[in-house]
Amino acid sequence: MASQDIAQLTEALAKTHVGEELSYRGQGLKLDDKQSVEGIAREIEQCKYLKALRLEGNTIGVEAARVIAKALESKKELQRCHWSDMFTGRLRSEIPPALKSLGNALMTSGTRLTELDLSDNAFGPDGIKGIEVLLKSPACHTLQELRLNNCGMGIGGGIILASALAECYKQSSVAGSPLKLKVFIAGRNRLENDGAIALAHSFQMIGSLEEVHMPQNGINHPGITALATAMQHSLNLRVLNLNDNTFTKRGAVAMAQALRHLRNVQVINFGDCLVRSEGAIAIAAALREGLPILKELNLSFGEISEAAALVVATAVRDKADLQKLDLNEKIQFFEFLDLLCKFVVPIHEIYNCSDDEGELDEEEEDDEDTEEDDEEQNCVNGTKENIDGSPAKVKFSVTLCSPGLLSFLHSPTSEKLLNLGAKRTQLIEQQLDFSDATKMAEVFLQITSVYKEEAEVKQVVFETVDTLLRKAFSSPHFQSYIFVSSLMVNLGLLKGEEKMKKVCVLPGHLIVLEHCVGQDYFPVDLADVLEIFLTRNGKVLESCSSARDALKTALEKRITA
């Protein structure tokens, strides 16, 4: 066949559009009226098996959208609509009617979409209203990917979107084939807490997500917590990107709990999310317990201390598939290099450059300890005190508490502990919620504050904490990393997120902790965490240097045993 014949055949095939995709991507076309869009409409009509239509990178007016919509009414095979960035320069009032025209055409055609991309259109909540009916319709019952990045939908748009997805799931379930959305992308949309919470309810209902990207949405811990709860229901989740939202400790702890349930996650991006040190330690616990095929972890710019960053790095050292770890914190190079040598498979990319929080120093501690009302802090016998000198009460879920126990908890002394008698441990257990690791740490410090070298007191303190901790660590609901974080905050080894009155650290606290570390119930991974913080921030315990050094030796022995 001559080259001229081949060229003619190629041209003929192009005109019949027998391919599956028709693309006008990035052509910068200004499509205002019928005349400007006639050629595109004709090509759509001539494309016999159209499965994908790319209109991104052009600008489409209301009349032009109607013409394109008319051509789409016969395209039952259409599955993928790549319609991002196609309203540049249009009035916001033009966008909803254009979207409604296109949506109505899809519903009329009887098509079943698998992908809808309307990113970078900045259409706000009114734009979501423009696709609301479409999202609820059978045309979206088969939707697998929904991309709405940078659309400015706001809280209102997020709520409308969530409602539409929920209705789509309900209607598709009634029809016998529930919606199985796999990819959801909605970054830079100002969803905030209310929008995120509404979407979380829909995600929990759908339960099929594999990728979730919601960066830069102004979501704080209530919204993060709701999303964490929802993610637990998507067991096939592979990618979770919540970059540049605000977790704080509460959101990070909730997300860490969710990650424990997920075995297929490969990419986690919590960069610039203010997870802070306590949150990072909670996430480290999830890393130790699960996430076996994790490939990328980003916790950069989260105000994580050097010690907390090392805890995270230690937690992932056995992840054979890990390729990228971005902590972006101040870690001494030789220590980090030594840690990396322990990895089964070398990490391909390590980001480690900033100094968001660093170690505690006296100036930072003073700033963090300043209360809003400039309350002074005093301590006697290791208990917290109010400004007037009266002991601050530890919060308990007290039902019927004996007067003796109430007195001990209010103002601990060794005599009061002994006077509780042989059933002292049972009395304390009855008042403790073993799922509240923070309160458990407070009780531990109260009991250990009365330690003395007197044989009877020493034995009673050891026996009491042994019984309580053995039960706590064996409970499936006990958050051991929260316990050790709270303990370190109270001891001054870790800068906590919440304002709190410091405990006056006594040798007894550290001596009893040394005893506990040597017991079989004390987890080795917690000993590892304590050793890291004690090594780097141990100077705050200089007043108890002998007990501190003995505790450090016990921790090292426990880790290497």
Side-chain angles (χ1 to χ4, degrees), residues 73-242:
E73 288 180 353
S74 62
K75 300 303 168 184
K76 186 177 182 178
E77 296 83 9
L78 185 63
Q79 296 177 359
R80 301 184 299 278
C81 296
H82 302 278
W83 296 348
S84 63
D85 187 24
M86 63 177 195
F87 295 115
T88 301
R90 300 292 171 182
L91 296 175
R92 180 166 290 189
S93 59
E94 293 181 82
I95 300 175
L99 289 172
K100 286 180 180 178
S101 295
L102 294 169
N104 288 338
L106 296 175
M107 291 185 286
T108 300
S109 70
T111 189
R112 295 294 183 267
L113 295 179
T114 59
E115 183 177 351
L116 177 60
D117 186 357
L118 288 166
S119 299
D120 300 317
N121 280 312
F123 46 48
D126 289 340
I128 296 298
K129 291 178 182 178
I131 60 171
E132 181 180 7
V133 176
L134 171 64
L135 290 173
K136 294 178 180 179
S137 75
C140 288
H141 286 184
T142 53
L143 197 62
Q144 295 180 13
E145 299 185 18
L146 179 59
R147 303 170 187 269
L148 295 167
N149 200 60
N150 191 31
C151 288
M153 65 177 89
I155 295 172
I159 293 173
I160 295 169
L161 175 61
S163 176
L165 290 175
E167 185 63 25
C168 182
Y169 177 79
K170 292 174 184 176
Q171 294 298 327
S172 60
S173 298
V174 171
S177 183
L179 172 68
K180 294 182 179 179
L181 188 66
K182 294 181 179 180
V183 177
F184 180 83
I185 300 177
R188 300 181 66 188
N189 271 293
R190 305 193 309 275
L191 293 171
E192 301 184 18
N193 288 331
D194 290 343
I197 291 170
L199 284 167
H201 292 155
S202 298
F203 294 162
Q204 184 168 331
M205 183 185 301
I206 296 169
S208 58
L209 290 167
E210 296 180 10
E211 290 189 30
V212 175
H213 301 262
M214 298 175 65
Q216 295 183 329
N217 269 298
I219 307 171
N220 298 325
H221 74 84
I224 296 297
T225 300
L227 288 171
T229 300
M231 292 304 105
Q232 296 181 41
H233 295 266
S234 287
L235 298 181
N236 292 321
L237 188 69
R238 295 182 295 104
V239 179
L240 183 56
N241 176 9
L242 296 174

Side-chain angles (χ1 to χ4, degrees), residues 29-41 59-68 90 94:
L29 302 174
K30 193 171 188 298
L31 308 173
D32 296 320
D33 50 28
K34 181 179 180 179
Q35 183 178 1
S36 64
V37 82
E38 278 182 342
I40 292 176
T59 176
I60 300 174
V62 176
E63 186 178 346
R66 292 195 186 106
V67 176
I68 293 173
R90 300 292 171 182
E94 293 181 82

Side-chain angles (χ1 to χ4, degrees), residues 402-416:
S402 71
L405 179 57
L406 281 174
S407 178
F408 171 77
L409 296 174
H410 185 271
S411 180
T413 65
S414 57
E415 290 77 14
K416 291 178 181 178

